[in-house]
Amino acid sequence: MSLVFSEETHRNMLSRIPHCTGREISDWLRTVEEGPALLRFEEKVSWLRSEHNLAYGHAKAIIHEYDLRRAARRLL
């Protein structure tokens, strides 16, 4: 299964997460930041799914956004 979302698909998924989960993206990103120090993308997705009962697509979008923002911080 591909780890890559198109930019449009990723943005659409992120926009639906608050409605579907009842939590804002910023809350989910903080949850990932404060969660276990997992290294692999799929480990993080699996953790979100099992701990927070998220759908695979939602968990994948959250982790993808988290990784994008973390990479952007390193560039600054």
Side-chain angles (χ1 to χ4, degrees), residues 7-23:
E7 185 64 27
E8 181 181 3
T9 300
H10 178 64
R11 293 290 155 216
N12 287 337
M13 182 69 76
L14 285 180
S15 71
R16 290 191 305 265
I17 288 173
H19 174 74
C20 294
T21 67
R23 291 178 63 184

Side-chain angles (χ1 to χ4, degrees), residues 1-65:
M1 195 166 296
S2 173
L3 297 178
V4 179
F5 282 127
S6 74
E7 185 64 27
E8 181 181 3
T9 300
H10 178 64
R11 293 290 155 216
N12 287 337
M13 182 69 76
L14 285 180
S15 71
R16 290 191 305 265
I17 288 173
H19 174 74
C20 294
T21 67
R23 291 178 63 184
E24 294 298 319
I25 296 299
S26 59
D27 292 338
W28 286 114
L29 297 175
R30 192 170 23 265
T31 297
V32 173
E33 183 71 31
E34 295 170 355
L38 302 170
L39 299 177
R40 295 181 53 237
F41 184 91
E42 285 298 327
E43 289 175 325
K44 295 174 193 176
V45 171
S46 293
W47 174 76
L48 269 183
R49 292 184 72 208
S50 65
E51 282 294 311
H52 299 282
N53 200 30
L54 289 176
Y56 178 77
H58 292 154
K60 185 175 166 182
I62 291 166
I63 298 302
H64 183 67
E65 184 67 15

